[in-house]
């Protein structure tokens, strides 16, 4: 798998993660999760980019973001700054909401791309928040594996995630029932330990950042 740490170049794909300052929660309730997704939606009105996978935990988030012709830092600033302002105003806080700068690792091959998507969608399971990735609402996983006839079960959160996330690149990597193939890739018993350790190292994650 290939990855390099660079600031930005046009048309690049990144695994992006940011944490709450001092390990504090970024999202205290459902409306906070919604507000963060709305900040991404608003940002897309100004900048050209795609979200390929996303998961909002409690004290951090992950997403795979593909830029167009705009710098990554501009996109992230446009997402994180409004959310921080609203968060501080809502809870009467001051100071930084996010811990320093976000972490971004550039993805340069499809194997790493798929492994990063798997890693993101399994984050709530690894954190023991849910037993199955599909049970976690603030994740794009359901968008990849649910059938079209499940759309009547959508919540406001899942509908907004559907508007934000482009599943084509991930699902196009699988053939013959791509949704089921992706589910097996994510939930199957084949070990991905080596790839997970590499991604964990890239994103500077450890047990200290499990939600609490």
């Amino acid at each position: 798998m290939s990855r390099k740490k660079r600031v930005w170049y046009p048309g690049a794909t990144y695994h992006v993660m940011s944490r709450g300052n001092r390990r504090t929660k970024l999202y205290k309730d459902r409306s906070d999760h919604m507000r963060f997704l709305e900040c991404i939606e608003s940002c897309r009105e100004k900048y050209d980019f795609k979200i390929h996978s996303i998961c909002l935990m409690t004290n951090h988030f992950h997403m795979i973001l593909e830029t167009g012709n705009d710098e990554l830092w501009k996109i992230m600033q446009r997402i994180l700054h409004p959310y921080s302002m609203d968060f501080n105003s809502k809870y009467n806080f001051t100071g930084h909401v996010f811990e320093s700068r976000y972490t971004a690792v550039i993805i340069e091959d499809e194997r790493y791309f798929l492994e990063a998507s798997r890693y993101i969608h399994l984050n709530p399971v690894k954190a023991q928040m849910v037993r199955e990735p599909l049970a976690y609402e603030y994740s794009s996983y359901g968008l990849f594996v649910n059938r079209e006839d499940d759309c009547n079960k959508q919540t406001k959160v899942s509908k907004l995630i559907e508007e934000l996330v482009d599943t084509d690149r991930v699902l196009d990597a699988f053939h013959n029932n791509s949704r089921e193939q992706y589910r097996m890739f994510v939930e199957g018993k084949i070990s991905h330990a080596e790839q997970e350790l590499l991604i964990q190292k890239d994103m500077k994650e450890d047990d200290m950042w499990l939600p609490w």
Side-chain angles (χ1 to χ4, degrees):
M1 298 194 302
S2 175
R3 75 278 182 271
K4 295 180 181 178
K5 295 183 179 180
R6 296 181 184 169
V7 177
W8 169 83
Y9 70 76
T13 303
Y14 299 88
H15 182 178
V16 183
M17 187 264 288
S18 190
R19 305 175 171 114
N21 196 27
R22 299 180 301 278
R23 298 181 61 205
T24 54
K25 290 182 178 180
L26 289 175
Y27 318 103
K28 291 179 174 289
D29 59 25
R30 183 183 181 83
S31 65
D32 291 342
H33 287 89
M34 283 292 295
R35 180 57 189 144
F36 187 83
L37 294 171
E38 289 168 354
C39 287
I40 299 176
E41 184 178 45
S42 177
C43 182
R44 289 212 311 181
E45 296 175 1
K46 182 174 179 62
Y47 296 121
D48 176 30
F49 64 94
K50 292 181 179 179
I51 302 293
H52 294 289
S53 298
I54 191 169
C55 185
L56 310 184
M57 301 293 281
T58 52
N59 60 3
H60 67 287
F61 70 82
H62 287 270
M63 61 182 169
I64 296 179
L65 188 153
E66 181 179 349
T67 62
N69 293 316
D70 297 300
E71 293 92 338
L72 178 65
W73 71 266
K74 290 183 179 179
I75 295 169
M76 295 308 300
Q77 183 184 60
R78 187 81 177 192
I79 295 171
L80 302 186
H81 181 68
Y83 181 78
S84 297
M85 296 291 288
D86 290 348
F87 186 88
N88 279 344
S89 176
K90 178 179 179 180
Y91 295 107
N92 196 28
F93 291 161
T94 59
H96 296 291
V97 173
F98 294 92
E99 180 204 44
S100 63
R101 184 179 174 86
Y102 57 86
T103 299
V105 174
I106 198 165
I107 299 174
E108 295 188 312
D109 65 55
E110 291 306 297
R111 182 184 177 192
Y112 192 94
F113 174 78
L114 292 175
E115 290 289 349
S117 184
R118 178 183 183 276
Y119 182 91
I120 288 170
H121 287 145
L122 283 179
N123 225 232
V125 178
K126 298 289 185 182
Q128 300 183 344
M129 298 173 71
V130 292
R131 295 184 64 181
E132 300 178 349
L134 194 56
Y136 192 71
E137 182 179 12
Y138 306 112
S139 159
S140 57
Y141 185 63
L143 187 59
F144 289 85
V145 301
N146 279 340
R147 302 184 305 273
E148 291 183 3
D149 56 4
D150 289 328
C151 62
N152 61 332
K153 303 176 183 178
Q154 285 185 321
T155 65
K156 290 182 178 180
V157 172
S158 60
K159 287 179 180 178
L160 185 51
I161 289 175
E162 181 178 19
E163 293 174 4
L164 295 174
V165 176
D166 186 331
T167 63
D168 289 348
R169 184 171 165 185
V170 170
L171 294 179
D172 284 350
F174 301 89
H175 306 285
N176 301 322
N177 194 355
S178 58
R179 294 183 184 277
E180 177 63 16
Q181 290 293 321
Y182 182 67
R183 186 189 70 79
M184 291 299 297
F185 174 73
V186 172
E187 300 182 43
K189 301 302 181 182
I190 297 175
S191 175
H192 295 252
E194 182 179 346
Q195 294 88 346
E196 288 178 355
L197 286 173
L198 175 60
I199 294 172
Q200 191 174 37
K201 180 179 178 181
D202 286 343
M203 305 313 292
K204 302 176 182 178
E205 282 205 303
D206 54 35
D207 291 344
M208 291 293 290
W209 287 105
L210 291 178
W212 52 279

